[in-house]
Amino acid sequence: MIGSANQKVRRKPPAEVTVSDIAQAMALPTERVWALSADSRVLFHARERRFVRGKMRDIDPPTSAGRAILRRLHRFLAWQFPPHCLVHGGAIGRSCFSSARVHRRKHAKQLIVQVDVFNCYPSISTAAVDAALLRRGFSADTASILSGLLTVSGCVAQGSPVSCDALNLYTRTYDDITISCTSEHEAAAATAFVSEELARAQLEVNRRKAHRRGVQRGSQPRASPPTVHGLIVSRGRGVAIAHQQSSKALSLASAYSRGCRVVS
């Protein structure tokens, strides 16, 4: 396994990563890796429209063989180019809980601002990934190989084992950004800054979703405890699951249990 505790695998800077390194990590001949990069659609089933996290999304489900191949690539990329220390989504050893702990209340007037990227994955084209990799110092061949493997049908795949790796290499962030602030003015300034940085990456804030929650999905009302990913972060002893989320989880568990009894 790439980067395991039992193997001394040196992390290389982008300029030193070769196509041969990628082929070795994927356990495939170099010629096969070039072919998959030229047409990654063979690694996926047909694109599907699914209702995920409150909206219809275009999902690219990998085939069984494709998932195994792309997982090997993911392990290689996750080891060679670990996510930024502030990135928790899709990062090994991190989760929504580690993300929420970063925002545990440190100020009496703490406000939580969460910014979503509008159509994040479909907005990042194969050409954009290739250009970003070249800017990071990858060789032309390596950038070409990776941009082909990290995308499908012209954009970053949703539902691929390497989707998070694509975002990490492209923007060094994720599609959901959380910021702790101490005032509405600070929240507005932080959101404006994030919007500008996303614009530089040819991405934009999800204004419609932001509008429903205030200032860029805005500062949460002081009357309600500040939450991050459904976890309350205003308690001194640590984060806690919000009542709404725990009730939803119990309801789903109860429905599943009833369904199992009906089947049996």
Side-chain angles (χ1 to χ4, degrees), residues 20-44:
S20 296
D21 292 331
I22 296 169
Q24 182 178 0
M26 297 174 71
L28 293 173
T30 302
E31 295 77 10
R32 177 60 174 159
V33 174
W34 273 111
L36 291 175
S37 176
D39 186 4
S40 61
R41 289 177 298 177
V42 299
L43 298 171
F44 297 87

Side-chain angles (χ1 to χ4, degrees), residues 83-98:
H84 190 280
C85 62
L86 295 179
V87 172
H88 294 261
I92 296 173
R94 303 176 206 167
S95 66
C96 60
F97 289 92
S98 64

Side-chain angles (χ1 to χ4, degrees), residues 47-204:
R47 182 166 289 173
E48 302 175 0
R49 292 283 288 172
R50 294 182 186 174
F51 192 76
V52 180
R53 289 186 294 174
K55 66 173 286 187
M56 293 300 296
R57 303 174 188 267
D58 290 325
I59 302 298
D60 301 289
T63 64
S64 296
R67 182 179 293 105
I69 290 171
L70 292 172
R71 278 179 176 170
R72 292 196 289 269
L73 177 60
H74 162 68
R75 287 195 290 268
F76 172 76
L77 294 175
W79 166 251
Q80 287 290 341
F81 310 104
H84 190 280
C85 62
L86 295 179
V87 172
H88 294 261
I92 296 173
R94 303 176 206 167
S95 66
C96 60
F97 289 92
S98 64
S99 175
R101 281 194 291 269
V102 173
H103 300 277
R104 282 176 57 188
R105 174 171 284 179
K106 300 178 178 66
H107 192 281
K109 296 182 179 180
Q110 181 183 16
L111 300 173
I112 302 296
V113 176
Q114 291 176 284
V115 178
D116 282 308
V117 181
F118 179 72
N119 279 345
C120 185
Y121 296 98
S123 298
I124 305 174
S125 67
T126 303
V129 174
D130 184 71
L133 294 175
L134 290 172
R135 287 194 299 271
R136 289 198 62 179
F138 287 91
S139 70
D141 280 353
T142 304
S144 178
I145 281 278
L146 285 176
S147 61
L149 294 171
L150 295 173
T151 60
V152 62
S153 300
C155 64
V156 173
Q158 279 196 105
S160 167
V162 293
S163 297
C164 293
D165 302 300
L167 283 184
N168 178 44
L169 291 169
Y170 183 69
T171 66
R172 296 291 285 156
T173 184
Y174 204 50
D175 62 339
D176 191 332
I177 302 164
T178 305
I179 309 164
S180 291
C181 304
T182 58
S183 68
E184 291 285 354
H185 175 74
E186 208 176 76
T191 302
F193 174 78
V194 170
S195 298
E196 290 173 4
E197 291 300 307
L198 289 175
R200 291 180 184 179
Q202 299 179 323
L203 298 171
E204 61 179 303

